[in-house]
């Protein structure tokens, strides 16, 4: 998914549902890209959930929300 400043409510709902279904199967860490290493992936996802729930309609937080989409892409590509 390309970056965008605003994600629809349906996109965010589907994203959160996917992560909730995968919560017990998340790896402990993840090399998201060349420059981004996430040492505690479950904790990071949990913190990003709060961002989505509290600020999902605020474009200021679109970068953090986009990270969740990138994490999901990386995890599904690895399956």
């Amino acid at each position: 998914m390309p970056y965008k400043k605003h994600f629809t409510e349906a996109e965010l709902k589907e994203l959160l549902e996917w992560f909730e279904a995968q919560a017990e199967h998340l790896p402990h860490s993840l090399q998201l890209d060349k420059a981004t290493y996430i040492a505690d992936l479950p904790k990071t996802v949990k913190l990003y959930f709060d961002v989505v729930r509290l600020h999902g309609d605020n474009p200021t937080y679109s970068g953090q929300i986009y990270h969740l989409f990138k994490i999901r892409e990386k995890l599904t590509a690895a399956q």
Side-chain angles (χ1 to χ4, degrees), residues 55-71:
H55 307 291
D57 59 345
N58 185 337
T60 301
Y61 297 93
S62 61
Q64 290 89 338
I65 294 168
Y66 180 62
H67 262 151
L68 276 178
F69 283 100
K70 286 184 66 172
I71 291 167

Side-chain angles (χ1 to χ4, degrees), residues 30-57:
L30 179 70
Q31 184 74 46
L32 183 59
D33 55 35
K34 186 176 178 181
T36 309
Y37 176 73
I38 302 169
D40 190 341
L41 183 61
K43 181 179 180 180
T44 301
V45 168
K46 181 180 179 293
L47 293 171
Y48 278 172
F49 265 39
D50 293 339
V51 171
V52 172
R53 288 185 179 122
L54 295 171
H55 307 291
D57 59 345

Side-chain angles (χ1 to χ4, degrees), residues 16-42:
L16 294 179
E17 287 173 353
W18 187 89
F19 274 103
E20 287 169 350
Q22 302 298 318
E24 294 184 21
H25 306 289
L26 293 176
H28 183 71
S29 62
L30 179 70
Q31 184 74 46
L32 183 59
D33 55 35
K34 186 176 178 181
T36 309
Y37 176 73
I38 302 169
D40 190 341
L41 183 61

